[in-house]
Amino acid sequence: GAVVSQHPSRVICKSGTSVKIECRSLDFQATTMFWYRQFPKQSLMLMATSNEGSKATYEQGVEKDKFLINHASLTLSTLTVTSAHPEDSSFYICSATGTGGTTNEKLFFGSGTQLSVL
Amino acid sequence: SQQGEEDPQALSIQEGENATMNCSYKTSINNLQWYRQNSGRGLVHLILIRSNEREKHSGRLRVTLDTSKKSSSLLITASRAADTASYFCATDGGSNYKLTFGKGTLLTVNP
């Protein structure tokens, strides 16, 4: 099946620094990628939707200047948490969907990134 | 308001028993999907059921959909300890790809 690779799996950073998380589709073209945030024992909250070559669409309440999303190619999307603060600590998950076959019927998820801001 | 509310929030059973999880949603859908998440990991797609389908099977999984009640159920038969995970339903709200996830059911299967 389709594979989505997300890196890093875990990152610890100091408050005020920026962290970049990468999401790659390894064996299909991801026309659309989604970024989610998940707090412990809670559901996934959609942060933004990104389409290759265009600006991301952010959900209400998500600061686009804080969570920078770039979807420069059909296989790579990045989420940069700028000037991270402890309240940004969370589990971030990307997902992707493609075109054709079964890749456009469901989402393929990365393994997630646990961000801890000290 | 959030779509996809699962119940129970937590379910603990013995190996070999069946596990049933329910999901309710609020708006019209094209399809409903169930995903599984192991602790600290990403989600894995289990099964998709379309709005014009009532029941679907995949291995030990059985999903039902009642669009009149806006509800779905996921049945895992003959559960195994390896089935221990959180299970989420997700609806598309009539818009392709943009899924809304429920709060999930934490299933614990005791050996």
Side-chain angles (χ1 to χ4, degrees):
Chain A
V3 177
V4 174
S5 175
Q6 183 175 344
H7 292 282
S9 59
R10 182 177 295 271
V11 58
I12 301 172
C13 69
K14 293 182 179 179
S15 186
T17 60
S18 294
V19 175
K20 180 185 283 189
I21 303 170
E22 290 189 350
C23 182
R24 294 179 184 273
S25 58
L26 298 185
D27 52 1
F28 69 102
Q29 293 187 328
T31 51
T32 304
M33 286 189 171
F34 302 89
W35 287 95
Y36 294 84
R37 183 174 181 174
Q38 185 181 31
F39 290 105
K41 298 184 179 179
Q42 301 214 1
S43 185
L44 283 73
M45 298 300 295
L46 179 65
M47 298 174 66
T49 302
S50 73
N51 295 293
E52 185 266 338
S54 62
K55 290 184 178 180
T57 301
Y58 289 82
E59 294 299 302
Q60 191 173 7
V62 177
E63 298 176 61
K64 61 180 180 181
D65 294 330
K66 179 163 190 64
F67 299 100
L68 301 179
I69 292 173
N70 183 282
H71 192 164
S73 76
L74 282 171
T75 59
L76 175 64
S77 176
T78 60
L79 167 67
T80 301
V81 182
T82 63
S83 186
H85 291 283
E87 57 265 30
D88 299 324
S89 298
S90 187
F91 191 61
Y92 293 88
I93 311 177
C94 70
S95 67
T97 189
T99 56
T102 60
T103 61
N104 64 348
E105 288 190 324
K106 56 191 178 186
L107 296 180
F108 299 92
F109 282 82
S111 55
T113 298
Q114 181 64 51
L115 171 63
S116 299
V117 184
L118 305 178
Chain B
S1 56
Q2 185 173 348
Q3 296 231 80
E5 301 281 338
E6 289 94 332
D7 74 271
Q9 290 188 354
L11 178 62
S12 181
I13 60 174
Q14 295 299 122
E15 217 168 17
E17 294 180 340
N18 296 341
T20 300
M21 289 159 272
N22 301 298
C23 167
S24 62
Y25 58 93
K26 293 185 171 63
T27 67
S28 62
I29 60 171
N30 290 322
N31 62 62
L32 183 146
Q33 304 179 39
W34 285 90
Y35 287 82
R36 166 196 167 124
Q37 182 183 34
N38 284 62
S39 180
R41 304 289 293 174
L43 277 69
V44 175
H45 181 268
L46 294 177
I47 196 166
L48 178 153
I49 186 165
R50 302 184 193 285
S51 59
N52 62 352
E53 296 177 311
R54 292 297 166 258
E55 187 171 313
K56 203 162 183 178
H57 296 253
S58 178
R60 294 185 294 112
L61 305 180
R62 173 177 166 254
V63 169
T64 64
L65 179 64
D66 187 335
T67 52
S68 66
K69 295 180 179 179
K70 291 186 168 56
S71 66
S72 173
S73 68
L74 170 67
L75 168 68
I76 303 175
T77 59
S79 64
R80 305 166 181 166
D83 295 328
T84 294
S86 290
Y87 293 83
F88 295 89
C89 70
T91 53
D92 64 356
S95 171
N96 285 339
Y97 311 145
K98 186 175 175 180
L99 300 182
T100 300
F101 287 82
K103 295 179 180 177
T105 293
L106 175 59
L107 173 67
T108 302
V109 182
N110 302 298

